């Protein structure tokens, strides 16, 4: 692995724990289920973006940046972790939030991650759904530049070949952790959105020649689009790493059957999965990503997708701060929108 040559700042509590989910495994009656706790990366209530930010923020620093610009959906976990990382490194942070759901619910637009973005001191501004967010970030960078600032743009989700190095690192970490425990992991499942997590894992697993069956559960795009996004970024990440050869297209698998009506819109399966994990394992997942990922995991176990496999690991990508933006979603008495 050639990771050591890339600049990196320590932001996360790594390695994150790998824990069995025995009550859930027993309940579902399939393979033994484990959880890789990337919700415990430590920065501002944790999540998967912290691993990416270790490489992205180091690059920003190396380029002499004093201001970070990024974008995401209203309840973006990426925006929240970026705001925290910028605060920790003494940089200013500008966040552009795209209204992808059309919700005017007060909790959705002000609570959860939005509250935390502001507590970390980020400048938050909102844009309508369907806005060209990359163009908006470029415009803002130009304005800040004219004011004498040195802006650095981090793409949505931190998903580029630099950010994806964080998940190349996670692939290595998980494999070493499993070896040390004498555990053979058959499959690794997680929610996939802007694709950097899966692309980094695909490149990282290729780098260590692992044959773990990696499966992303989509939360936004249809399967073809999601898989080509992941494959394209995995290839660019492998090139950035200096890995020889090309990324096998068949190593990229996304199941996009659990998106429901759209990005950030709750589904019954997500609600049931999220409650099941909260009540069997004491774990909190999020309504936008990891809850839909779990819905996919549980449904695919029941459909026999993992038959013949012994150990399946779910990557907990974090996001529980977003729960407070969706309090009325879970049908609990007293919470109405
Ligand atoms: C961003 C995010 C994901 C998806 O990761 P990508 O790298 O964008 O595909 C999954 N879960 C949570 C909680 C996230 O915030």
């Amino acid at each position: 692995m050639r990771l050591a040559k890339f600049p990196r700042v320590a932001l996360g509590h790594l390695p994150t724990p790998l824990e069995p989910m025995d009550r859930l495994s027993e309940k579902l009656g399939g393979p033994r289920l484990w959880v890789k706790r990337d919700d415990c990366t430590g920065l501002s209530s944790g999540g998967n973006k912290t691993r990416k930010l270790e490489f992205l923020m180091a690059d920003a620093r190396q380029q002499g940046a004093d201001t970070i610009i990024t974008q995401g959906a209203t309840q973006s976990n990426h925006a929240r972790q970026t705001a925290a990382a910028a605060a920790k490194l003494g940089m200013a942070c500008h966040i552009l939030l795209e209204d992808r759901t059309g919700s005017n619910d007060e909790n959705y637009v002000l609570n959860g991650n939005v509250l935390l973005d502001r507590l970390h001191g980020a400048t938050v501004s909102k844009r309508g759904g369907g806005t060209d967010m990359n163009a908006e970030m470029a415009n803002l960078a130009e304005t800040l530049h004219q004011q004498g600032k040195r802006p650095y743009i981090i793409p949505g989700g931190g998903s580029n070949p630099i950010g994806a190095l964080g998940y190349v690192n996670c692939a290595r970490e998980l494999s070493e952790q499993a070896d040390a425990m004498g555990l053979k992991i058959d499959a690794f499942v997680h929610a996939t959105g802007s694709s950097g997590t899966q692309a980094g894992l695909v490149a990282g697993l290729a780098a260590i020649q692992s044959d773990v069956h990696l499966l992303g559960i989509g939360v936004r795009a249809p399967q073809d689009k999601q898989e080509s996004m992941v494959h394209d970024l995995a290839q660019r990440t492998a090139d950035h790493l200096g890995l020889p050869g090309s990324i096998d297209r068949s190593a990229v698998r996304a199941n996009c059957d659990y998106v429901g009506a759209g990005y950030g819109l709750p589904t019954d399966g997500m609600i049931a999965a999220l409650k099941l994990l909260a009540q069997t394992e004491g774990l909190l997942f999020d309504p936008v990503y990891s809850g839909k990922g779990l819905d996919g995991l549980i449904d695919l176990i029941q459909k026999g997708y993992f038959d013949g496999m012994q150990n399946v690991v779910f990557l907990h990508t974090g996001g529980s701060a977003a729960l407070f933006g969706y309090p009325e979603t879970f049908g609990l008495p007293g919470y109405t929108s």
Side-chain angles (χ1 to χ4, degrees):
M1 190 78 63
R2 302 161 181 81
L3 269 182
K5 71 180 181 200
F6 296 98
R8 179 171 169 192
V9 286
L11 294 172
H13 297 178
L14 306 179
T16 58
L18 175 61
E19 299 170 341
M21 297 194 285
D22 287 339
R23 292 198 69 219
L24 182 69
S25 309
E26 196 181 320
K27 183 139 199 142
L28 298 176
R32 188 168 193 205
L33 300 173
W34 300 77
V35 57
K36 173 71 172 157
R37 299 290 305 272
D38 275 14
D39 58 320
C40 297
T41 50
L43 191 69
S44 183
S45 80
N48 63 337
K49 304 313 180 303
T50 298
R51 287 188 190 269
K52 302 179 183 182
L53 287 162
E54 290 201 331
F55 292 93
L56 290 161
M57 296 302 279
D59 187 53
R61 245 190 183 174
Q62 199 173 50
Q63 297 194 17
D66 58 12
T67 305
I68 301 295
I69 300 174
T70 199
Q71 62 98 0
T74 305
Q75 282 295 333
S76 168
N77 301 298
H78 162 69
R80 180 243 313 153
Q81 288 163 83
T82 303
K88 185 172 165 71
L89 300 177
M91 297 183 189
C93 185
H94 289 253
I95 289 172
L96 302 181
L97 295 179
E98 179 190 358
D99 175 17
R100 288 192 207 155
T101 65
S103 168
N104 290 318
D105 184 273
E106 194 170 295
N107 283 303
Y108 183 75
V109 297
L110 286 174
N111 207 339
N113 284 302
V114 184
L115 169 67
L116 302 185
D117 295 343
R118 294 194 163 138
L119 280 176
H120 288 302
T123 305
V124 177
S125 49
K126 307 213 171 178
R127 297 291 185 273
T131 304
D132 181 344
M133 298 301 280
N134 289 330
E136 292 293 303
M137 290 199 293
N139 288 341
L140 177 58
E142 186 49 36
T143 306
L144 291 169
H145 194 71
Q146 279 162 13
Q147 294 168 3
K149 304 279 199 295
R150 304 200 50 160
Y152 179 93
I153 295 178
I154 294 182
S159 288
N160 63 16
I162 299 173
L165 294 177
Y167 275 88
V168 171
N169 186 42
C170 179
R172 176 206 54 80
E173 180 181 301
L174 179 67
S175 147
E176 286 174 7
Q177 208 167 25
D179 285 352
M181 293 164 70
L183 176 71
K184 164 137 182 7
I185 297 173
D186 298 299
F188 194 29
V189 182
H190 67 94
T192 178
S194 69
S195 86
T197 300
Q198 190 169 4
L201 290 173
V202 167
L205 292 173
I208 57 176
Q209 295 173 350
S210 162
D211 60 358
V212 168
H213 181 98
L214 182 70
L215 176 66
I217 307 290
V219 300
R220 189 177 186 187
Q223 180 180 9
D224 278 0
K225 186 173 174 206
Q226 189 67 28
E227 289 186 347
S228 7
M229 264 167 52
V230 172
H231 185 240
D232 173 66
L233 183 54
Q235 186 60 60
R236 289 187 291 130
T237 304
D239 294 343
H240 188 55
L241 262 177
L243 285 185
S246 54
I247 294 291
D248 191 353
R249 178 63 181 74
S250 67
V252 177
R253 302 173 199 91
N255 181 320
C256 300
D257 295 345
Y258 302 91
V259 177
Y263 175 87
L265 301 176
T267 61
D268 291 344
M270 175 281 288
I271 293 168
L274 201 143
K275 282 185 174 169
L276 180 65
L277 269 285
Q279 294 171 16
T280 55
E281 294 290 342
L283 291 172
L284 293 177
F285 290 82
D286 81 285
V288 182
Y289 295 96
S290 57
K292 287 185 181 175
L294 270 177
D295 178 26
L297 174 76
I298 292 168
D299 190 55
L300 290 171
I301 289 171
Q302 285 162 348
K303 289 183 169 147
Y305 181 89
F306 301 102
D307 284 1
M309 297 190 189
Q310 253 104 62
N311 292 292
V312 174
V313 179
F314 186 74
L315 174 66
H316 192 332
T317 42
S320 62
L323 283 171
F324 304 102
Y326 288 79
E328 77 292 354
T329 301
F330 301 96
L332 302 169
Y335 298 88
T336 48
S337 50

